[in-house]
Amino acid sequence: MVSVAILGGGNVSFRLSKALSNNSEIILNQIYSRSKLSFHFDSVPVEKIQDLNLLKEADVYIISVSDDAVVSLAEKLPIKNKLVVHTAGSINMNQLPLNNRKGVFYPLQTFSKSKEVDFQKIPICIEAESLNDLDTLRQLAESISNSVYEIDSDQRRIIHLSACFTNNFTNHLFYIAQKLGEEKQIPFEIFHPLIQETIEKLNVLSPYDAQTGPAKRNDLKTIEKHLELLENTGFKEIYELMTQSIKQTYE
Amino acid sequence: MVSVAILGGGNVSFRLSKALSNNSEIILNQIYSRSKLSFHFDSVPVEKIQDLNLLKEADVYIISVSDDAVVSLAEKLPIKNKLVVHTAGSINMNQLPLNNRKGVFYPLQTFSKSKEVDFQKIPICIEAESLNDLDTLRQLAESISNSVYEIDSDQRRIIHLSACFTNNFTNHLFYIAQKLGEEKQIPFEIFHPLIQETIEKLNVLSPYDAQTGPAKRNDLKTIEKHLELLENTGFKEIYELMTQSIKQTYE
């Protein structure tokens, strides 16, 4: 059994507390939040506190606040020599203060309060200073996920960066596609199967081998036509740069 | 009953002939290809010809060759006043020659010979000069897909362009993520659930509303860190341009 306190009231905190409170191998003691928790947390049957001095003894304290606020909250904790971990992709483990044992418990996913996610499939990246603490984090992670990775802070900052490409920028490309079609009444749903197939190919091909399209084929005639269509849309430069990058990859 | 001849031996032709030959509402007469068809076509039980003069009478002739070759093949057909359609995203219907009735039968999907696709889910964009021919194409399309759209050539060229963003460029972003992680031994599979969730969000949110990340939040500290990590990778400019475009979108 691992006992846990969660500190923070955001999306990650909510999804994590949901997963942990439903778990027979875990005792979720408390959720701390400086301000009142949103109504979503009503469905999590656990003590909620707004005063750090009310924190009970726990095996792991999980700080799950915005990346900017992690260190300052860690510094305020009225505990010593406990295992304190954060869930932030971009914060090095060593930025945590020295008064407690340090660790990281980073679920690699995009969370929203309104959309359920299956935690079992979410990769959890764990890191700790001692093998003992790493074991505790592994036990905790494996209780809610089938996909646990030991990842150090150096790797994690690359993962956090790559997640911008695979999630944030990918989503922006979808936005561009929708925007381009708006004027001509093209329903964005028409692209869903293509997008789904783009993803499914990754199960059988590497992204390098899965690449198709005019840039890969160096089909200058089609590229020229596309650039004309992109005049005054604001997206021509992105098309040019992506096309150039794909060309260079396959030169 | 609609009778069909397919002209071409590429990926689209293969998947289309598979779907049509399995269909009780359709008679697939023949597949024409200038050169010998690949072994994949052995699984399609239909007459294969290499001489255009052997073409039989059919309700629809589907030209499914590379975009560059569509028009010249159409000009060689020894038939008159028949319904001749192509499957090319970037070719205007009116580029087809005048000796036959023109149309388009464009399945919006990325095809490979090695990976099965469920044709029922593939959007098929149809276009014709007359309502009669449009009806024939609709009957043909609905026999293999649940998702049939009447799309004119003007709309189709935008769809073809947008498909570059949603498929080609998206895949290249995945390639970049993999490449960035290579040196640090980060397995690309770790991103699969994040990528899957990025797509699934589109079922409940528009791409505009689904956007997250440092660019959207204008989190300059994280962006700065990411740009440092991207030095000498060749991908810094893409990061900058995408970040700038996201910022402008939410200004």
Side-chain angles (χ1 to χ4, degrees):
Chain A
M1 286 292 235
V2 182
S3 63
V4 179
I6 292 180
L7 301 105
N11 294 338
V12 180
S13 158
F14 172 61
R15 289 295 163 195
L16 197 56
S17 61
K18 274 276 238 196
L20 290 173
S21 69
N22 274 329
N23 204 294
S24 59
E25 298 164 55
I26 303 296
I27 305 166
L28 179 59
N29 280 344
Q30 298 169 306
I31 304 176
Y32 160 84
S33 177
R34 198 174 47 176
S35 47
K36 201 175 166 340
L37 291 166
S38 71
F39 71 92
H40 301 88
F41 282 89
D42 295 349
S43 60
V44 187
V46 59
E47 185 191 354
K48 285 112 185 179
I49 58 171
Q50 288 188 252
D51 179 351
L52 285 175
N53 291 311
L54 299 177
L55 271 179
K56 289 182 200 158
E57 185 82 20
D59 296 319
V60 189
Y61 297 80
I62 304 179
I63 297 180
S64 180
V65 295
S66 66
D67 292 24
D68 275 354
V70 168
V71 175
S72 67
L73 176 54
E75 282 166 349
K76 285 189 200 110
L77 294 182
I79 52 175
K80 272 212 167 149
N81 300 322
K82 299 293 179 185
L83 178 53
V84 174
V85 305
H86 70 70
T87 61
S90 74
I91 305 290
N92 194 297
M93 180 175 73
N94 291 323
Q95 290 178 251
L96 289 172
L98 294 168
N99 49 332
N100 286 293
R101 284 139 46 211
K102 303 165 185 180
V104 179
F105 192 89
Y106 171 53
L108 177 54
Q109 189 49 282
T110 170
F111 294 95
S112 50
K113 283 211 182 88
S114 59
K115 190 173 174 311
E116 289 269 358
V117 283
D118 179 2
F119 231 100
Q120 288 294 336
K121 291 184 187 157
I122 297 176
I124 298 184
C125 305
I126 56 172
E127 181 181 9
E129 293 173 294
S130 74
L131 283 180
N132 223 0
D133 286 345
L134 199 62
D135 274 350
T136 305
L137 293 183
R138 186 179 300 279
Q139 202 184 328
L140 185 62
E142 286 178 350
S143 78
I144 52 174
S145 169
N146 293 324
S147 172
V148 179
Y149 292 82
E150 198 182 321
I151 293 286
D152 67 29
S153 287
D154 242 25
Q155 292 174 305
R156 189 159 33 77
R157 59 183 193 159
I158 298 289
I159 290 175
H160 189 252
L161 167 64
S162 295
C164 279
F165 284 88
T166 53
N167 171 261
N168 306 161
F169 296 168
T170 294
N171 184 74
H172 190 57
L173 292 179
F174 299 158
Y175 167 76
I176 293 172
Q178 181 183 40
K179 201 74 191 158
L180 291 173
E182 238 171 38
E183 203 191 315
K184 300 274 184 203
Q185 282 81 47
I186 295 162
F188 184 63
E189 295 73 51
I190 204 171
F191 297 108
H192 282 195
L194 178 64
I195 291 171
Q196 189 56 45
E197 181 68 12
T198 307
I199 308 315
E200 280 177 25
K201 270 193 175 173
L202 297 180
N203 294 322
V204 291
L205 293 170
S206 71
Y208 182 88
D209 290 325
Q211 189 66 52
T212 58
K216 163 81 182 292
R217 293 193 306 273
N218 199 19
D219 173 352
L220 300 177
K221 229 159 102 182
T222 301
I223 293 170
E224 203 50 55
K225 278 190 208 174
H226 284 172
L227 288 175
E228 264 172 53
L229 286 172
L230 286 165
E231 284 300 347
N232 306 317
T233 60
F235 304 124
K236 193 176 167 184
E237 224 179 318
I238 290 178
Y239 186 98
E240 284 176 318
L241 191 57
M242 294 298 289
T243 293
Q244 185 195 330
S245 180
I246 294 171
K247 275 189 194 173
Q248 277 166 2
T249 304
Y250 295 91
E251 239 164 39
Chain B
M1 285 295 232
V2 182
S3 63
V4 180
I6 292 180
L7 300 106
N11 294 338
V12 180
S13 158
F14 172 61
R15 290 295 163 195
L16 197 56
S17 61
K18 273 275 235 197
L20 290 174
S21 70
N22 274 329
N23 202 295
S24 59
E25 298 163 53
I26 304 295
I27 305 166
L28 178 58
N29 279 343
Q30 298 169 307
I31 304 177
Y32 160 83
S33 177
R34 199 175 45 177
S35 47
K36 201 174 165 342
L37 291 166
S38 71
F39 72 91
H40 301 88
F41 283 88
D42 294 350
S43 60
V44 186
V46 60
E47 185 191 353
K48 285 114 185 179
I49 57 171
Q50 288 188 252
D51 179 352
L52 286 174
N53 292 309
L54 299 176
L55 272 178
K56 287 183 203 158
E57 185 82 20
D59 296 319
V60 189
Y61 298 80
I62 303 180
I63 297 180
S64 180
V65 296
S66 66
D67 293 23
D68 275 354
V70 169
V71 176
S72 67
L73 176 53
E75 283 167 348
K76 285 190 199 109
L77 294 183
I79 51 175
K80 273 210 167 145
N81 300 322
K82 299 292 179 187
L83 178 54
V84 173
V85 305
H86 69 71
T87 61
S90 73
I91 306 289
N92 193 297
M93 179 175 73
N94 291 322
Q95 289 178 251
L96 290 172
L98 293 168
N99 49 333
N100 286 294
R101 282 138 48 211
K102 303 166 184 178
V104 179
F105 192 89
Y106 172 52
L108 177 54
Q109 190 49 283
T110 170
F111 294 95
S112 50
K113 284 214 182 81
S114 59
K115 189 172 174 310
E116 288 269 357
V117 282
D118 180 1
F119 231 102
Q120 289 294 335
K121 291 184 187 156
I122 297 176
I124 299 183
C125 306
I126 55 172
E127 181 181 12
E129 294 172 293
S130 73
L131 283 180
N132 222 359
D133 286 344
L134 199 64
D135 273 351
T136 305
L137 294 183
R138 185 179 301 279
Q139 202 184 329
L140 186 61
E142 286 178 349
S143 77
I144 53 175
S145 168
N146 294 322
S147 172
V148 178
Y149 292 82
E150 198 182 319
I151 293 285
D152 65 29
S153 287
D154 241 28
Q155 291 175 307
R156 188 159 34 76
R157 59 182 193 161
I158 298 289
I159 290 175
H160 188 252
L161 166 64
S162 295
C164 279
F165 284 88
T166 53
N167 171 260
N168 305 161
F169 296 168
T170 295
N171 184 74
H172 190 57
L173 293 179
F174 299 158
Y175 167 76
I176 293 172
Q178 181 183 39
K179 201 74 191 159
L180 290 173
E182 237 171 39
E183 202 190 317
K184 299 273 183 205
Q185 282 81 46
I186 295 161
F188 183 64
E189 295 72 50
I190 204 172
F191 298 108
H192 281 195
L194 178 64
I195 291 171
Q196 189 57 46
E197 180 69 10
T198 308
I199 308 314
E200 279 176 26
K201 270 194 176 174
L202 298 180
N203 293 323
V204 290
L205 293 170
S206 71
Y208 183 89
D209 291 325
Q211 190 65 53
T212 57
K216 164 80 183 291
R217 293 193 305 272
N218 199 20
D219 173 353
L220 300 177
K221 230 159 102 180
T222 301
I223 293 170
E224 204 50 56
K225 278 191 208 175
H226 284 172
L227 289 175
E228 264 171 52
L229 286 172
L230 286 166
E231 285 298 349
N232 306 317
T233 60
F235 303 124
K236 191 176 169 187
E237 224 180 318
I238 290 177
Y239 186 99
E240 285 176 317
L241 192 55
M242 293 298 288
T243 293
Q244 184 194 330
S245 181
I246 294 171
K247 274 189 194 173
Q248 277 166 0
T249 304
Y250 295 92
E251 239 163 40

